[in-house]
Amino acid sequence: MGDPKSYCPISLLCVPFKILERLIYARVETITDRILPQEQAGLRHGSSAVDQVTLLTQDIEDSFSVKQKAGAVFVDLTAAYDTVWHRGLTCKLLRLLPDRHMVHMTMEMVSNHSFTLTTGNGKRSRLRRLKNGVPQGSVLAPLLFNIYTSDMPATISRKYACADDLAIMHDDGDWLAVEGALRKDMATPDEYLQTWKLKLSTTKTVSAVFHLTNKEAKHELKVNFNNETLPFCSEPKYLGVTLDRSLRYRRHIASLRKKLTSRVALLRRLAGSGCGAGATTLRTATLALVLSTAEYCAPVWCRSPRTRLIDHTIDDALRIVTECLRLTPADNLPILAGIQPAELHRKGATLSLGRRATERGYLLHSVLTRPSGAAARRLKSRHHLYTPLNSSVFLTTTTYVRRSGRIINGTWSGRTTPQDSAL
């Protein structure tokens, strides 16, 4: 943490300035959304990081079902927002927006920024003006970055982009074919990055493999960029989710449990022994600190058998809220706390994602429109986005709800209404 490059400045802007940015954003977004590539899911209506991670993992699962091997490169740009070339951004906005005055005003709002650096001992640097970049914390910054990178060259491999996080994946039965495709794809954006003043971080950009062949568990990809071999990572992290070779999510659930344990300890301190916080405050803190973290990207990893470790930690938080003893059955804790059970919420989130995928134009719609035999070829030990749409799983979820007695006539028996109460 002593490296200054590990820190990123955030722009704190006044409220009238943000309102003006919102007005410009509403005018520009309707035009830009039509030209942005579909694989760009960052900060757009109808798409999110969860959709992009789900699409990547489902494509990897499809390669497993046909006994192929997948290789991926997770691209990291050095200070992506801070290196946006203002002149290049102006040219791209002029091609896109019909009003030159709107472009001029937008660039004035982005470029007219200065800063000073204050150290811990009270010393302050001289005033400096930003020559490049879009200010992080600005409403327009994500949209402008998406426009700036919307013309990135096409690749042989499939691309998965969310703001400045980019992953490319190629699957084949031969490792040489996988490496060859990824090498060509990494050579393609080299000229593009140099032209538009972007820089790829060769230390943070890693390659990874995904397959079910245990005898090749230690196989490493050799992908070059600018005559340098990219580092290999057996468990890369993409948009906050740690992936492993066979998509069992062991490392991700272990790290998630560790994070939840520290937050449960914070709740325990908040509860105190004599004059601690009340039940309402503890319940709100549990929803904000524990459950929001535990439910991130749940449709991706919820089918892992290790999710019970997460449930045990959530039960500890619910015991703090309800002041119940260890002997209290875990099934009664959500009812007493008025909080939806974690397992039911994960199933509801997966069903909701599957339903949205049936809509045309949705990012995950391509997964469901693949050949009908794709679902039949699934391995028995693997699961797919098709699964929550099956009637068997729908009935299983409904039976789970009815047996637990948590939903009566469509109403949650606790103090809150669950997201999937329509079941």
Side-chain angles (χ1 to χ4, degrees):
M1 297 298 293
D3 188 2
K5 295 181 180 180
S6 301
Y7 296 89
C8 178
I10 300 297
S11 299
L12 302 178
L13 306 175
C14 61
V15 175
F17 193 88
K18 289 184 177 182
I19 294 176
L20 179 59
E21 284 191 324
R22 286 288 180 187
L23 294 174
I24 297 177
Y25 186 94
R27 294 289 185 91
V28 175
E29 185 192 21
T30 56
I31 302 175
T32 59
D33 193 64
R34 293 175 296 187
I35 61 99
L36 294 179
Q38 188 178 12
E39 62 266 14
Q40 176 58 264
L43 302 169
R44 298 175 62 185
H45 288 298
S47 60
S48 63
V50 179
D51 302 334
Q52 200 64 284
V53 180
T54 304
L55 180 60
L56 172 62
T57 54
Q58 294 308 311
D59 287 343
I60 295 174
E61 291 281 359
D62 281 341
S63 68
F64 289 167
S65 65
V66 293
K67 299 181 180 181
Q68 289 188 345
K69 307 158 187 177
V73 175
F74 298 89
V75 180
D76 184 270
L77 298 177
T78 302
Y81 277 45
D82 297 331
T83 55
V84 173
W85 184 28
H86 284 174
R87 185 173 297 180
L89 178 60
T90 304
C91 294
K92 294 186 178 183
L93 286 175
L94 288 173
R95 296 175 188 172
L96 179 64
L97 301 179
D99 191 350
R100 297 173 61 92
H101 299 288
M102 176 69 76
V103 175
H104 179 72
M105 183 173 64
T106 302
M107 292 307 303
E108 282 292 327
M109 297 175 65
V110 171
S111 59
N112 190 17
H113 288 272
S114 57
F115 70 96
T116 58
L117 177 63
T118 304
T119 59
N121 55 7
K123 293 183 179 180
R124 179 177 294 183
S125 66
R126 65 182 178 87
L127 188 67
R128 294 178 179 271
R129 186 171 180 177
L130 294 175
K131 298 180 179 180
N132 291 312
V134 290
Q136 299 200 38
S138 169
V139 176
L140 288 173
L143 178 63
L144 295 178
F145 184 81
N146 287 345
I147 295 173
Y148 190 69
T149 57
S150 60
D151 58 346
M152 188 170 290
T155 57
I156 302 174
S157 308
R158 292 186 288 273
K159 290 192 295 186
Y160 311 86
C162 184
D164 59 334
D165 293 306
L166 174 65
I168 59 174
M169 191 273 291
H170 185 78
D171 57 333
D172 199 281
D174 186 15
W175 284 122
L176 295 178
V178 174
E179 292 180 356
L182 292 177
R183 286 173 183 169
K184 291 181 181 179
D185 291 337
M186 291 304 297
T188 300
D190 185 17
E191 182 179 353
Y192 175 85
L193 296 178
Q194 293 181 5
T195 303
W196 299 105
K197 313 298 182 182
L198 296 173
K199 185 177 180 181
L200 185 140
S201 175
T202 56
T203 57
K204 295 183 179 180
T205 300
V206 298
S207 61
V209 294
F210 304 96
H211 60 90
L212 300 178
T213 308
N214 292 331
K215 65 179 181 180
E216 297 180 345
K218 296 183 179 181
H219 180 82
E220 298 184 2
L221 286 181
K222 296 181 180 179
V223 182
N224 298 331
F225 181 80
N226 282 342
N227 299 323
E228 295 184 16
T229 302
L230 296 177
F232 177 83
C233 181
S234 59
E235 293 177 330
K237 180 179 286 189
Y238 180 62
L239 296 177
V241 178
T242 304
L243 308 175
D244 51 61
R245 176 179 62 87
S246 57
L247 294 186
R248 296 294 184 181
Y249 306 105
R250 297 184 182 91
R251 179 72 175 275
H252 177 75
I253 293 179
S255 61
L256 180 59
R257 186 189 182 190
K258 184 178 179 181
K259 183 185 298 184
L260 293 178
T261 302
S262 63
R263 300 195 175 198
V264 171
L266 183 61
L267 282 178
R268 192 171 288 109
R269 284 179 172 270
L270 184 63
S273 57
C275 56
T280 303
T281 303
L282 291 175
R283 179 179 177 276
T284 304
T286 301
L287 292 172
L289 296 177
V290 179
L291 295 181
S292 62
T293 304
E295 294 164 359
Y296 175 70
C297 276
V300 176
W301 51 264
C302 65
R303 298 177 182 85
S304 173
R306 296 176 177 267
T307 53
R308 64 181 183 274
L309 301 176
I310 304 298
D311 295 338
H312 294 336
T313 309
I314 295 176
D315 291 341
D316 292 339
L318 296 182
R319 285 190 174 91
I320 296 175
V321 176
T322 59
E323 298 182 357
C324 290
L325 301 176
R326 279 281 178 184
L327 297 178
T328 305
D331 291 341
N332 295 337
L333 294 175
I335 301 175
L336 297 174
I339 295 176
Q340 183 179 0
E343 181 182 0
L344 182 59
H345 190 278
R346 288 193 295 264
K347 290 183 178 181
T350 307
L351 286 168
S352 177
L353 187 65
R355 293 191 189 103
R356 294 200 307 271
T358 59
E359 302 175 3
R360 289 185 177 273
Y362 192 67
L363 184 64
L364 292 172
H365 185 69
S366 60
V367 177
L368 301 182
T369 55
R370 289 169 186 171
S372 58
R377 295 197 305 268
R378 306 303 305 175
L379 300 176
K380 293 183 179 180
S381 60
R382 314 304 300 186
H383 303 280
H384 192 269
L385 187 62
Y386 302 102
T387 305
L389 300 179
N390 293 340
S391 58
S392 59
V393 176
F394 183 86
L395 293 176
T396 301
T397 308
T398 308
T399 304
Y400 168 81
V401 174
R402 289 177 178 173
R403 286 181 180 177
S404 62
R406 293 166 184 161
I407 293 180
I408 301 175
N409 296 327
T411 304
W412 177 239
S413 60
R415 285 176 289 179
T416 56
T417 302
Q419 175 184 349
D420 208 30
S421 59
L423 291 176

